[in-house]
Amino acid sequence: MQLNGARIVLTGASGGLGSVLADRLAAAGAALLLTGRDPAALARINLPASCEYQLLQADLGTTAGIAATVAATQNFRANILINNAGIGGFGLLAEQDWSDVERILATNLAAPLRLTQALLPWLTQQPAAAVVNVGSTFGSIPFAGFAAYSAAKAGLHGFSQALRRELADSTVRIIHIAPRAIDTPINSAAARALNKALGSATDTPETVAEHIVATLRDNTPESHIGFPEKLFAWLNGFAPSLVDRGLRGKLAQIKQHAAKA
Ligand SMILES: NC(=O)c1ccc[n+]([C@@H]2O[C@H](COP(=O)([O-])OP(=O)(O)OC[C@H]3O[C@@H](n4cnc5c(N)ncnc54)[C@H](OP(=O)(O)O)[C@@H]3O)[C@@H](O)[C@H]2O)c1
């Protein structure tokens, strides 16, 4: 995709990854419609004066928030949607309230699906368009302690593949990117402690934002960030019982940290 002159709606722009991604997309010459829930966090976004951008406060977990984002996207004449907004969900399923599980599924799966569906009539009219879904390694390597989050991100991955196949005869490209852990506020103290204890690699938001920009520019339909994670994602698809066995050995540690989530 041509990024210089592209018009992009970026959800979760006020977050740890979104704010850096906004900066990198602006540097690539894109105009940006930046969305988030917290008006104060949105107001802290500070892009160069040379970048055309607008801020939109909208809760994507609500019908009104979806409608406001759709209207603003059309007014902005965006041709690229980046579904980046998300929430974490570390904890053992048996100990999570159903309302938390619902929120994890609603934010990480239903909201991007709903926003994409609502924008398809608009995007399919554009000469060149794209939807980028920011998934997670846990969508391909579902992880103990992250059952609802893994389910949502696996769902987002499946959605991306199905929609790509459904839109193969259109001008809309569907891109799915699966980052591993990133150093951002989505990770609770307990999740950070678990990553440290397991020796899981953590990327900076800058590294991931640059990867997303390159993936979008090159039109790469699927990408995983991180080498061992890419290998384990393949292994999980091919021989999940091997991954079951590997994670069984880490379960005591995961439970110990989940107790503090
Ligand atoms: N950090 C990681 O370890 C990691 C790893 C793999 C994938 N990811 C994915 O990367 C994406 C970005 O996450 P991040 O690390 O940047 O997290 P973050 O710093 O917590 O930012 C999350 C963003 O999503 C927005 N958001 C959350 N709920 C929303 C809702 N209901 N409506 C609208 N916006 C909402 C937040 O807005 P407000 O702050 O205004 O609420 C914020 O801008 C997520 O999809 C996440 O699942 C993250």
Side-chain angles (χ1 to χ4, degrees), residues 13 16 28 67 89 94 132 135 140 173 210 261:
V132 179
S140 302
R173 303 276 71 87
E210 282 155 23

Coordinates of all heavy atoms in Angstrom, one line a residue, residues 13 16 28 67 89 94 132 135 140 173 210 261:
A13 N -5.3 4.6 19.4 CA -4.2 5.5 19.1 C -3.6 6.2 20.3 O -2.5 6.6 20.3 CB -4.6 6.6 18.1
G16 N -0.1 2.5 24.2 CA 1.4 2.3 24.1 C 1.8 2.1 22.7 O 2.8 2.7 22.2
A28 N 5.5 8.5 7.6 CA 5.4 7.9 6.2 C 4.5 8.7 5.3 O 4.4 8.4 4.1 CB 4.9 6.5 6.3
A67 N -20.8 3.8 15.6 CA -21.5 4.7 14.7 C -20.7 6.0 14.5 O -20.5 6.5 13.4 CB -22.9 5.0 15.1
G89 N -5.9 -9.5 29.5 CA -6.8 -10.4 30.2 C -6.1 -11.5 30.9 O -6.6 -12.7 30.9
A94 N -11.3 -19.7 35.6 CA -12.2 -20.1 36.7 C -12.2 -19.0 37.7 O -13.2 -18.9 38.5 CB -11.7 -21.4 37.4
V132 N -6.1 -3.6 8.7 CA -5.0 -4.2 9.4 C -5.6 -4.6 10.8 O -6.1 -3.7 11.5 CB -3.8 -3.3 9.6 CG1 -2.7 -3.9 10.4 CG2 -3.3 -2.8 8.2
G135 N -3.4 -8.6 16.0 CA -3.7 -9.8 16.8 C -2.7 -9.9 17.9 O -2.2 -9.0 18.5
S140 N -2.3 -17.6 18.0 CA -1.8 -18.8 17.3 C -1.2 -19.8 18.3 O -1.0 -21.0 18.0 CB -0.7 -18.4 16.3 OG -1.2 -17.5 15.3
R173 N -7.4 -5.0 0.9 CA -6.5 -6.0 1.4 C -6.7 -6.2 2.9 O -6.9 -5.2 3.6 CB -5.0 -5.5 1.2 CG -4.7 -5.2 -0.3 CD -4.3 -6.4 -1.1 NE -5.4 -7.3 -1.4 CZ -6.2 -7.2 -2.4 NH1 -6.0 -6.2 -3.3 NH2 -7.2 -8.1 -2.6
E210 N 7.2 -0.1 13.6 CA 7.9 -0.1 12.4 C 7.6 -1.4 11.6 O 7.5 -1.3 10.3 CB 9.4 0.0 12.6 CG 9.8 1.5 13.0 CD 11.0 1.7 13.8 OE1 11.9 0.8 13.8 OE2 11.1 2.8 14.4
A261 N -2.9 -11.6 39.7 CA -3.5 -10.8 38.6 C -4.7 -10.0 39.0 O -5.4 -10.4 40.0 CB -3.8 -11.7 37.4

